[in-house]
Amino acid sequence: MIARLLGKDRGVLITLAVILLIAILVPALHLLTPPASPIHIPAYAMALIGKYLCYAMLALSLDLIWGYCGILSLGHGAFFALGGYAMGMYLMRQIGSRGVYGNAELPDFMVFLNWTELPWYWHGFDGFAFTALMVLLVPGLLAFLFGFFAFRSRVSGVHLSIITQALTFALMLAFFRNDMGFGGNNGLTDFKDILGFSLQSSGTRAALFAATCLALGASLMLSLAIIRSRLGAVMTAIRDAENRTRFLGYRVESFKLFAFTVSACIAGLAGALYVPQVGIINPGEFAPANSIEAVIWAAVGGRGTLFGPILGAVLVNFAKSWFTSVLPELWLFALGGLFLAVTLFLPRGLAGLFDRKAAGGKQPVPAAQPEAAE
């Protein structure tokens, strides 16, 4: 079945092969080569690439709903951040009495704010299995509840995009409050262990990187299985002609809700893998600008292709790292110019170049555009 799925999409096959190669090669070059070697990959570079791959997973989750179901979310960073906070809570509980204040039960920021007991919603996060469940359940449940009311009310198009942006902005404001119990403006940081292994050790960092690659590959395969199924065919029909699909008797709201929930779970998993590699999670991850950047990654790479948004996320963030170190004041102009250039000259994104080459240089038939918002 896997071979049949991959055989229909060379772009996804190549992307999956590259991900698996990176999962082996990068940790090996970090662990098995001496620091003085020209092929040695230092810890900071491996963590940076791992961060890019987490962003790629976020872009993939957005492509699943935007590229194949016509749902443009401008607040998908909220699900990414919620997954990150769930993992951050687990990592904070693992610090125990090694914190600044030596309190085995309360994180340092709670002791500083004179909290006397652990909030009820922090209980259970001392266990990894419970945390892994919450990483998927919290973003998925929020997406399900939000999507249930939004899609049931037939909110779509630009109206839905604005509401999703309002959702992530509201969460950002809430998490900035100290009385929420999530560290306020400073967020959660100073992590030490995961599953009993030090986060500062080379082996742990390499394992986290490999786990990120495997999670990205699994998410890619899951997304491919969905869009190649009958369910995916209906999702594509909803994207191209929602009203016609509804008139054929399909419950459009149910298909949208399914895609939106699965997408949120993938984004939450990306956030959970992001936090131990960067070492911090704060309310800034909820910023609407982060969600808009994810849309740009998907557009630059090529929405509706699965592998395109992964490529776009990695390349755009690599360019961001380079620009912000060389010409930091010009980065936003460069990002805006890149988005305009892709929109004008590569409407199918970078993935369109791959499709054109695969077609022998002929112009591929453009994908149908979603119906205008009513």
Side-chain angles (χ1 to χ4, degrees):
M1 180 179 178
I2 295 177
R4 185 165 65 251
L5 284 173
L6 293 175
K8 295 180 180 180
D9 198 321
R10 290 179 56 193
V12 173
L13 176 61
I14 293 173
T15 303
L16 186 62
V18 171
I19 292 172
L20 294 178
L21 178 63
I22 291 175
I24 299 172
L25 187 61
V26 172
L29 292 179
H30 173 68
L31 295 173
L32 303 179
T33 58
S37 173
I39 61 173
H40 175 75
I41 296 180
Y44 77 88
M46 185 170 61
L48 187 63
I49 299 172
K51 183 175 74 170
Y52 294 165
L53 295 178
C54 291
Y55 287 153
M57 202 183 309
L58 173 60
L60 173 65
S61 71
L62 180 63
D63 188 46
L64 183 62
I65 58 171
W66 185 31
Y68 291 96
C69 208
I71 303 171
L72 175 56
S73 171
L74 295 181
H76 234 54
F79 306 122
F80 180 87
L82 286 173
Y85 264 98
M87 178 57 70
M89 292 165 72
Y90 164 78
L91 296 175
M92 291 297 291
R93 294 299 309 276
Q94 298 308 297
I95 296 175
S97 59
R98 292 173 294 172
V100 175
Y101 297 100
N103 192 308
E105 185 70 13
L106 299 179
D108 284 339
F109 72 88
M110 291 187 184
V111 178
F112 179 78
L113 294 173
N114 296 320
W115 290 53
T116 58
E117 60 181 5
L118 197 68
W120 64 268
Y121 45 85
W122 274 76
H123 291 287
F125 281 96
D126 54 341
F128 185 81
F130 179 84
T131 301
L133 178 63
M134 291 299 106
V135 162
L136 300 176
L137 183 61
V138 173
L141 182 59
L142 176 62
F144 180 85
L145 294 175
F146 176 87
F148 177 81
F149 292 106
F151 301 140
R152 184 183 182 185
S153 302
R154 297 194 180 182
V155 178
S156 61
V158 66
H159 305 95
L160 181 65
S161 300
I162 293 173
I163 294 175
T164 56
Q165 191 171 63
L167 172 67
T168 189
F169 188 72
L171 287 171
M172 181 184 71
L173 295 179
F175 274 72
F176 265 119
R177 296 170 56 93
N178 286 327
D179 56 5
M180 283 287 290
F182 295 108
N185 182 61
N186 295 322
L188 308 177
T189 187
D190 195 29
F191 309 132
K192 301 185 185 302
D193 297 334
I194 182 170
L195 290 173
F197 299 96
S198 172
L199 283 172
Q200 304 306 318
S201 71
S202 296
T204 304
R205 290 178 176 272
L208 284 170
F209 181 89
T212 302
C213 292
L214 294 177
L216 177 58
S219 300
L220 180 59
M221 289 299 300
L222 173 63
S223 300
L224 183 63
I226 291 174
I227 66 169
R228 289 287 181 262
S229 66
R230 293 182 180 180
L231 171 63
V234 177
M235 288 168 52
T236 305
I238 293 172
R239 177 198 67 187
D240 295 338
E242 180 175 333
N243 288 333
R244 295 178 187 177
T245 306
R246 181 177 284 109
F247 292 154
L248 288 174
Y250 290 99
R251 294 182 60 87
V252 169
E253 296 77 15
S254 299
F255 288 93
K256 283 186 171 183
L257 185 59
F258 171 82
F260 197 68
T261 303
V262 171
S263 175
C265 290
I266 296 175
L269 178 60
L273 291 166
Y274 169 86
V275 170
Q277 295 184 86
V278 301
I280 188 173
I281 178 71
N282 58 43
E285 297 297 337
F286 286 102
N290 292 346
S291 298
I292 294 174
E293 278 197 41
V295 173
I296 294 177
W297 303 336
V300 169
R303 71 184 184 96
T305 60
L306 292 184
F307 71 92
I310 294 176
L311 176 64
V314 173
L315 291 182
V316 171
N317 280 283
F318 176 81
K320 180 179 181 179
S321 297
W322 185 82
F323 262 101
T324 52
S325 62
V326 179
L327 298 170
E329 67 278 1
L330 296 181
W331 160 243
L332 291 178
F333 295 99
L335 181 63
L338 176 63
F339 184 67
L340 289 175
V342 169
T343 302
L344 292 174
F345 303 109
L346 292 173
R348 293 173 59 86
L350 297 176
L353 296 176
F354 178 86
D355 292 339
R356 187 179 304 175
K357 183 176 180 180
K362 298 179 181 180
Q363 182 68 26
V365 178
Q369 299 298 317
E371 291 182 335
E374 296 178 357

